Amino acid sequence: MTSGSTEDQALLERVRAGNEPAFESLFQKYYPGLLRYGKMLLPYPTDEAEEAVFDVFAKLWIQRHNIHLHISLASFLYKAVKNRTHDYYRKKNMVSVVLVEAENEPEQTYQIPDQQLQFKELTQGIEKLIALLPERTQMVFRMNRYDGLTYQEIANLLNISVNSVKTHMYRAIKFLKDAYLSARASGQC
Amino acid sequence: MKEQEIYLLITRYLANQTSTEENERIADWIAESAQHEQIFEDIKLLWQASAPKPNADVSGAFNKLRSKIGQETNKPVISHTTSRIKWYAIAASVVAILTFSGLLFYHFGSSPTSTQFKEVVTTAGQKKKIRLEDGTAVFLAPQSTLRFPGHFSSQRNVELRGQAYFEVSKNPHRPFVVHTASLDVQVLGTHFNVSSYQNQNATKVSLLEGKVKVTISDNGLDEYLLSPGQELAVNHINHQVYRYALDSLAVKGWMSNTLIFKNEKLVEAAHKIEQMYGVRIVFADQATAETNLYARFGNEPLQNVLETIAASGNITYHIEGNKIYFTLKH
């Protein structure tokens, strides 16, 4: 049980009782991550990702009395977005290319040269550093850090192995730790 | 341990995703060397620095979501009267909810923008008077919390845990709504008391002046209009709703430190004494707790209250620090 999910359960309890501020809190917490995930699943510039996330939250509100979760709320919401995007592909008679992406290890060649850490952008803080990571690594890191999803849950949502998730996480942390520290040391972060 | 393994163990620990055994492993590993401890501290620093930042775009997105829900709930398929009524109630508070966006930051506890949303908390023995920006006066009882937005919009929403007495400034165009865990009270301009302590088995709304509409949150359907002099109680155990004439002295007593017990069980009286005097009361046994009490205390020192209870109920008491022990005389 993570602290995040304890907080979520308290919020969800209030949502069930019809408390709108609690509902908005959940929305605020998960909207950015779910939207990012939805956009990854829907490769075209489109509003569909936003629509998918709205659908999920609308359903959560309308059916709040009937929702009994056996998994974490974060995992539930991400799965729901995944299902929505499947529906989208089904409607368009398309094959969901992203979702059947073959298992692959994170790029081995990925390196950040030291001098890059001296970039002025570092003054913008850690968000800039995260943005320097490969897209898939960013996704894994944010799902874990921001939304408290476990490695297993992330693996299922991205259709990759738990080992791949671990590799992404390790690389993200190692890079961010070193970059953040050196940026702080030079007074830039 | 491999570097990857320990890095991930530390982050899972920071994310509260580790087991007790894993926590011990981390502690052992850190204790091994100063270098290990430094790595732990560095990762912790990074982890804390990368906490999610509030996103300015999200409020706009929430408005879109709200209008979408509005459309969906109006589709015939799901237009049970229940969901409709409920939704209209929400739609009416659309603008006000925006001001609650500070709540998110409050939950994350990591943002300076939480000033948007204010919270006043009282401890045992403490009372506070709050003047809201619309002129409404709120008297907050001990061990209670009131949350309210820095600025009210079209609807004036506040959230209450515990007990408070409200003197709401009249404004028919901006309904004032008190949200509690089990019911909502909507008012147009009135004096009333709401008591929703979690350790008491009923939430009570007592109306002294004006008019209020009480909506029970359990089902969102039951609405009660109260007239002045009426009290409504929702029992959390049997979910029954009771309406009866109130005793205004008993309702407002807490504001003037007046305690009124009319044939109340000592265990129930104890809650009020604890709140007012900031003490803990312990009963020797069930029989002591169930002794009935008929008494009235007007702003009296705790000592007098205890003496009177002891005299009237064949009870002895002794004090140890902050605790008061009641025992039946044998």
Side-chain angles (χ1 to χ4, degrees):
Chain A
M1 175 77 58
T2 70
S3 65
S5 69
T6 314
E7 179 194 284
D8 284 356
Q9 284 185 354
L11 282 173
L12 196 58
E13 210 44 58
R14 288 164 64 202
V15 167
R16 279 200 199 99
N19 183 302
E20 304 106 51
F23 179 60
E24 185 171 3
S25 292
L26 283 179
F27 179 80
Q28 297 235 15
K29 181 174 175 185
Y30 286 115
Y31 178 71
L34 292 171
L35 185 63
R36 209 178 293 119
Y37 179 61
K39 282 182 174 165
M40 186 200 83
L41 296 179
L42 296 162
Y44 306 103
T46 166
D47 295 336
E48 295 285 341
E50 195 179 53
E51 280 303 309
V53 178
F54 284 167
D55 278 349
V56 167
F57 275 101
K59 204 170 167 189
L60 177 71
W61 178 258
I62 293 164
Q63 304 194 349
R64 62 190 182 278
H65 300 300
N66 305 320
I67 288 175
H68 302 283
L69 296 184
H70 305 288
I71 53 174
S72 73
L73 179 69
S75 183
F76 169 81
L77 292 172
Y78 272 90
K79 274 189 190 167
V81 168
K82 188 177 181 180
N83 291 338
R84 287 279 150 172
T85 55
H86 275 307
D87 291 348
Y88 169 82
Y89 281 110
R90 206 174 299 133
K91 260 188 252 163
K92 304 259 174 187
N93 275 328
M94 285 158 61
V95 178
S96 151
V97 266
V98 179
L99 290 172
V100 295
E101 182 187 21
E103 174 68 19
N104 58 347
E105 282 291 300
E107 309 84 82
Q108 300 292 331
T109 53
Y110 166 66
Q111 285 288 328
I112 296 283
D114 280 351
Q115 65 269 23
Q116 245 183 296
L117 304 180
Q118 307 302 325
F119 279 12
K120 280 185 179 165
E121 289 96 87
L122 293 188
T123 52
Q124 309 278 332
I126 199 115
E127 188 56 38
K128 282 273 175 188
L129 295 176
I130 295 172
L132 291 174
L133 293 164
E135 204 177 317
R136 184 56 65 101
T137 307
Q138 283 185 44
M139 180 68 69
V140 170
F141 178 78
R142 289 192 165 113
M143 285 170 117
N144 180 255
R145 177 65 187 100
Y146 295 176
D147 291 340
L149 293 165
T150 64
Y151 297 164
Q152 184 64 58
E153 286 169 342
I154 295 170
N156 293 344
L157 289 165
L158 297 180
N159 290 342
I160 57 179
S161 72
V162 172
N163 271 333
S164 287
V165 173
K166 285 181 177 173
T167 312
H168 281 296
M169 274 306 286
Y170 168 60
R171 298 223 171 136
I173 294 157
K174 189 174 171 55
F175 165 68
L176 291 173
K177 174 174 88 73
D178 296 344
Y180 185 63
L181 287 173
S182 84
R184 271 173 64 93
S186 57
Q188 289 182 326
C189 215
Chain B
M1 256 187 283
K2 267 177 61 188
E3 188 179 65
Q4 170 167 336
E5 194 186 346
I6 191 66
Y7 273 38
L8 296 183
L9 197 54
I10 292 169
T11 44
R12 286 200 299 112
Y13 166 77
L14 294 168
N16 285 328
Q17 292 177 344
T18 42
S19 66
T20 320
E21 293 77 29
E22 286 173 321
N23 291 348
E24 282 170 15
R25 276 180 69 201
I26 293 170
D28 290 346
W29 183 83
I30 292 171
E32 276 170 21
S33 72
Q35 192 204 350
H36 284 181
E37 191 179 346
Q38 189 58 48
I39 291 173
F40 175 80
E41 288 302 324
D42 289 348
I43 292 177
K44 190 168 139 192
L45 192 67
L46 154 77
W47 194 255
Q48 286 166 348
S50 60
K53 306 275 185 301
N55 188 330
D57 301 339
V58 177
S59 288
F62 190 67
N63 282 341
K64 280 197 202 172
L65 168 66
R66 193 184 281 120
S67 63
K68 183 184 176 71
I69 295 178
Q71 289 161 14
E72 293 209 1
T73 40
N74 286 333
K75 282 181 194 163
V77 195
I78 43 165
S79 75
H80 309 297
T81 350
T82 54
S83 57
R84 268 201 162 164
I85 288 175
K86 194 63 184 168
W87 180 253
Y88 286 145
I90 294 154
S93 62
V94 156
V95 190
I97 292 169
L98 276 182
T99 58
F100 279 82
S101 54
L103 197 61
L104 165 74
F105 311 131
Y106 169 79
H107 283 300
F108 285 136
S110 65
S111 167
T113 52
S114 56
T115 46
Q116 263 188 301
F117 207 90
K118 294 175 183 162
E119 187 168 276
V120 178
V121 181
T122 54
T123 57
Q126 197 179 37
K127 295 194 290 280
K128 283 181 183 168
K129 182 174 178 180
I130 304 150
R131 180 69 71 175
L132 302 179
E133 59 148 9
D134 65 332
T136 294
V138 184
F139 303 85
L140 195 61
Q143 292 182 324
S144 302
T145 304
L146 185 78
R147 272 195 207 153
F148 53 97
H151 293 286
F152 288 125
S153 38
S154 69
Q155 179 160 322
R156 297 172 286 172
N157 285 317
V158 301
E159 281 184 51
L160 173 71
R161 279 200 307 270
Q163 179 171 213
Y165 179 78
F166 293 85
E167 289 179 8
V168 177
S169 82
K170 287 196 171 71
N171 187 342
H173 302 295
R174 293 166 78 199
F176 189 96
V177 183
V178 181
H179 301 272
T180 75
S182 57
L183 53 80
D184 294 344
V185 186
Q186 187 183 336
V187 298
L188 292 177
T190 197
H191 296 186
F192 65 103
N193 191 77
V194 179
S195 170
S196 66
Y197 286 112
Q198 290 191 331
N199 58 4
Q200 281 173 10
N201 54 22
T203 294
K204 290 180 187 171
V205 181
S206 320
L207 182 64
L208 291 107
E209 254 183 69
K211 201 168 215 178
V212 299
K213 184 169 81 180
V214 182
T215 310
I216 313 296
S217 328
D218 269 356
N219 46 29
L221 268 185
D222 292 353
E223 289 184 352
Y224 298 87
L225 279 175
L226 288 190
S227 309
Q230 284 189 333
E231 185 163 272
L232 179 132
V234 183
N235 187 302
H236 301 316
I237 296 157
N238 62 15
H239 300 286
Q240 293 294 304
V241 178
Y242 304 90
R243 183 160 29 178
Y244 44 85
L246 62 80
D247 173 347
S248 93
L249 270 179
V251 169
K252 295 172 74 176
W254 65 265
M255 282 190 278
S256 53
N257 285 345
T258 302
L259 285 171
I260 297 176
F261 304 119
K262 290 185 170 176
N263 225 15
E264 263 180 68
K265 290 201 178 4
L266 199 48
V267 64
E268 283 157 20
H271 284 308
K272 296 182 187 170
I273 296 169
E274 287 177 338
Q275 277 154 16
M276 189 169 291
Y277 293 99
V279 294
R280 291 280 298 135
I281 292 176
V282 182
F283 297 101
D285 49 44
Q286 192 67 15
T288 315
E290 304 232 318
T291 312
N292 280 359
L293 183 64
Y294 210 105
R296 175 178 169 175
F297 305 101
N299 200 13
E300 289 179 43
L302 178 62
Q303 188 77 13
N304 292 4
V305 175
L306 298 177
E307 293 288 353
T308 309
I309 290 174
S312 66
N314 202 26
I315 286 170
T316 59
Y317 70 92
H318 70 277
I319 302 175
E320 278 178 24
N322 193 34
K323 283 191 181 140
I324 297 159
Y325 295 84
F326 278 117
T327 318
L328 270 185
K329 279 183 199 160
H330 292 292

